[in-house]
Structure formats: structure tokens, C-alpha cells
Amino acid sequence: MLFWILVAVLTAVVAAILLYPLLRGAKAAENIRAGERAVYRDQLRELDRDLNGGLITPEEADYARAEIGRRLIAASAGEPEEAPKPARHHRFTEAFVLLVLPLLGLCLYLTTGRPDLPSQPLEARLENPGNDMAVLIVKAERHLAEKPDDGKGWDVLAPIYLRTMRVNDAQLAYRNAIRLLGPSPARLDGLAETLMAVSDGVVTEETRQVLEQSLTLEPDNPRARFYVALSMEQAGRRDEARQAFEALAKQSPADAPWLPLVNEHIAMNGGAPAGAGQAAAPGVDQAAPGIPTQEDVAAAQSMNAGDRQQMIRGMVESLDAKLSADPNNFEGWVRLVRSYAVLNDKDRAAAALKRGLAAFPPPGEQGSQLLALAKELGIATEGATQ
């Protein structure tokens, strides 16, 4: 009941605001005409004073009196002898504001709104957040504001921050989790990824130190090994980077999701992609564009660096063509965006990102992952979601 009372009061206030200019319009016009008539009468009295004082001749006074009289008659024309009536052309507008507009708003609310939904303030939503990521974050933040030394809370919140691209908050959360609970490969890898996001995908010296600490805890950690190899590539140490990527490829299982990307980096640094002839992951086409076959590896071993680079670009363009024909391949878009970024073709990477987001919009989990990938690789996302 209180809700409908508030609706009625707000409707009345809005109607009054809309009707006020209409109701005062006629009165304002009449005030203007009355002011004009008073001015002309004052001019006639001043004219008589000038004539009596000898300032003007009788002929000039007659001419001026005739002109002022003409203007006074024009200002008085149509002056009502009775009390002014409201203008008829406002009747429809007033009826629309008072009747049609509230009814139209009520109908729209009943059809598109949720009048049956009970009010649920923030405190109630915090008690039952469901899958609302924003409410989950607020709940965790409130808990940590009261208990900042709860390491498990920071451990839970840090990946959520990173997933929603709040990288500065994620960095603080990972540091707090490490300080309170101690370092672990997952926490150190997460911290490294936030540092890379802040530096637009560059593996800085601080990031490398974090990764090396992660490798001391888990020497076979593929994520940390990949980023360490990437730091060598970014530093221009191609031979060391190739060897590191090749070692990672040999360690990886045949169905490892990161293996195609590792092979791309191996080829980028002058090596032959590894892993050909291994069993493909379930549901993955062994001859899919972007995944080297046995014949590709054999051909790459006999090529120079320039020809090998051209072969890789051809494979990427083949993947691009396949995705144009069948865009419902999320892993393919991830591979394509990464491939163009590795080839240092940021324009095509941005174009591939935009096409991938058209197939997997950002509100979904896969679209959000594409945006996070773009941030990691330093690809501009302006206009990509349009």
C-alpha cells in the first residue's frame, strides 16, 4: 500500500510541474499587455507636460499623440471585458497530463515491471546472494572490512577480482592472502597474472621473481613455466625462450589445452612445434587449423626462419577462415586472438576479438574470458563490444 501511495504522490507532483507553465501562460500574457498600456498612458501624460512647457509645438504634439494613441488602441484590442477564461487549446494538453500520462505509465509498469516482487534491500540480498557476482563481492568485502586478517577471505576474493578485471584490488587481495596464509603456487600465479595485467602483458622483473618462487614450490607448474619462457621471449632471448617452451611442450600431456599456444611460441622463436602425432584431446579435430600435424612438423624442420614464419601465418589465416564459417568455437577464438598477438599483429588481433565477442557476448562467461585475454595480451577493447 505504501508503494502505491508514493506512486500517486509522485504522479501528482509531476502533473503539477507539467501543468504550471500552461496555467500561468495566459496570466503572463495579460500582464504583458497591461504593462504596455500603462507605458503608453505615461507617454501621453509626458507629452502634455512637454507641450505645456513649450518643449514641442502643437503640431508635433498632435502627431505624437496620434501615434501613441494608435499603439494604445492596438495593445487594448481584444481586451476581455469579463474575467479571462482559460485558453481552450490547453484543454487537451491538461487532460493528457492529468489522465492519459499516469494511465500510460501505470500500464507500462504493470507489463514490464515486477509489482509482485517484494522489496529486497542490500542487507537481504547479502544474506542470499545467489549467483550475483557483485553481491558476492560486496559480501566478501564487508566481511574482510570487519576481519582483515581472515586469509581465507582474501584467498576467495582475489580470483574473483582478477576474473572481473579489478586488477589492482586483485593484487592487494593476493598479497594479503600470501601474507596471512603463506605462498602457494595458485596464489603466486594469480599475483603474477595481476602484475602482468597492470603492465599490459609484460613480464616484469617483479613478476618473474614471483614466478620463480612459484616454481620452487612446484617445479612442474605449467603456468609459471609458460610465463617464465614468455619473459625470455619478451627480452629478446629467443634461443632460451625456445628451449623453455620446448621443455614445457615435452612435459605437457597430449590433451593439454595450452599445448597449441606453446607450439605457436616455439615456432615464433625459430623451433619446430612439438607434440605432433600425439593423441588429440576429446572432441578436438587433429587436423584443425592452428594445430600442427605431422606433415607440418616435417615441413617446418626443413624451412628457414622466414619460411617457417610464413607457414605459421598461413595456419593462423586458415583458422581465421574456419572461424568465419563457423564462429561457434570458443577455443578457436582464444587461439586466434593469441596467435595474432604472438605475430605482433595487434590490428588483426583486435578484429578477431571483436568477431569473437559477437559470437560470445561479454555478459557471458566466455565473453568475459575473451576480454580478460585481451587485457592480458595488451589488445585494445574499445569498440570491441559494439
Side-chain angles (χ1 to χ4, degrees):
M1 179 60 68
L2 179 61
F3 171 78
W4 295 110
I5 294 174
L6 291 175
V7 169
V9 172
L10 290 175
T11 302
V13 171
V14 172
I17 293 173
L18 294 176
L19 289 174
Y20 179 71
L22 301 178
L23 297 176
R24 69 182 296 272
K27 183 178 180 181
E30 177 59 26
N31 290 338
I32 293 174
R33 289 195 296 270
E36 291 178 350
R37 292 193 295 271
V39 170
Y40 295 141
R41 292 191 182 100
D42 287 341
Q43 289 179 348
L44 287 174
R45 287 193 291 269
E46 185 176 353
L47 184 63
D48 291 336
R49 288 196 299 270
D50 291 344
L51 178 61
N52 294 332
L55 298 177
I56 58 175
T57 64
E59 293 78 8
E60 292 174 339
D62 291 340
Y63 177 80
R65 186 176 290 107
E67 177 63 21
I68 295 172
R70 182 186 67 78
R71 296 183 181 182
L72 180 58
I73 292 172
S76 302
E79 181 179 358
E81 296 180 358
E82 301 176 355
K85 298 180 180 180
R88 293 194 177 189
H89 62 276
H90 290 326
R91 296 276 175 84
F92 177 77
T93 305
E94 294 170 0
F96 177 81
V97 171
L98 291 174
L99 299 175
V100 179
L101 192 60
L103 289 175
L104 180 62
L106 180 61
C107 292
L108 287 174
Y109 174 72
L110 292 176
T111 55
T112 62
R114 290 289 307 277
D116 59 317
L117 190 66
S119 61
Q120 193 175 21
L122 179 59
E123 292 297 335
R125 283 181 285 149
L126 289 175
E127 292 297 327
N128 185 23
N131 294 324
D132 192 330
M133 187 66 69
V135 177
L136 286 171
I137 292 176
V138 171
K139 184 175 182 179
E141 288 175 338
R142 286 196 170 189
H143 171 74
L144 289 171
E146 297 175 357
K147 298 180 179 179
D149 292 334
D150 183 1
K152 291 184 178 180
W154 292 113
D155 211 22
V156 171
L157 190 57
I160 298 177
Y161 277 149
L162 184 58
R163 183 175 178 180
T164 55
M165 297 310 298
R166 293 174 57 176
V167 291
N168 290 326
D169 292 331
Q171 183 181 156
L172 176 62
Y174 274 118
R175 291 187 186 279
N176 283 333
I178 292 170
R179 175 176 58 86
L180 296 168
L181 301 177
S184 71
R187 297 182 192 113
L188 292 168
D189 291 348
L191 177 58
E193 289 183 340
T194 62
L195 293 172
M196 289 177 62
V198 172
S199 61
D200 294 327
V202 177
V203 183
T204 62
E205 182 60 30
E206 180 184 6
T207 307
R208 184 183 173 89
Q209 292 175 2
V210 173
L211 293 168
E212 290 176 347
Q213 185 180 1
S214 176
L215 289 174
T216 60
L217 299 176
E218 186 182 348
D220 293 333
N221 182 351
R223 180 182 300 182
R225 293 184 63 181
F226 176 84
Y227 288 137
V228 169
L230 182 62
S231 70
M232 299 174 185
E233 179 183 288
Q234 292 175 348
R237 294 150 54 189
R238 298 186 59 192
D239 291 339
E240 295 179 50
R242 186 190 70 251
Q243 293 172 8
F245 282 123
E246 288 174 344
L248 176 57
K250 291 178 181 178
Q251 169 205 322
S252 303
D255 59 350
W258 59 84
L259 189 57
L261 179 60
V262 172
N263 284 331
E264 291 173 10
H265 281 277
I266 292 173
M268 281 290 299
N269 290 281
Q278 294 178 334
V284 178
D285 181 6
Q286 179 69 15
I291 300 179
T293 64
Q294 233 172 347
E295 292 78 8
D296 294 331
V297 175
Q301 289 175 342
S302 60
M303 292 180 181
N304 58 37
D307 292 339
R308 189 181 295 114
Q309 180 84 354
Q310 187 64 31
M311 184 195 77
I312 295 170
R313 185 170 290 277
M315 293 168 62
V316 174
E317 291 175 354
S318 177
L319 174 61
D320 196 330
K322 183 175 182 179
L323 290 172
S324 297
D326 181 18
N328 296 320
N329 181 353
F330 174 69
E331 295 298 334
W333 287 115
V334 172
R335 192 185 313 136
L336 184 64
V337 173
R338 281 191 179 276
S339 298
Y340 278 132
V342 170
L343 292 172
N344 201 27
D345 194 340
K346 293 298 180 67
D347 292 338
R348 290 193 177 184
L353 173 67
K354 185 174 183 180
R355 290 158 54 202
L357 290 173
F360 300 94
E365 180 179 355
Q366 293 168 319
S368 300
Q369 291 179 17
L370 283 174
L371 287 176
L373 173 66
K375 181 69 174 178
E376 174 189 335
L377 299 175
I379 299 171
T381 59
E382 290 78 4
T385 57
Q386 297 178 355

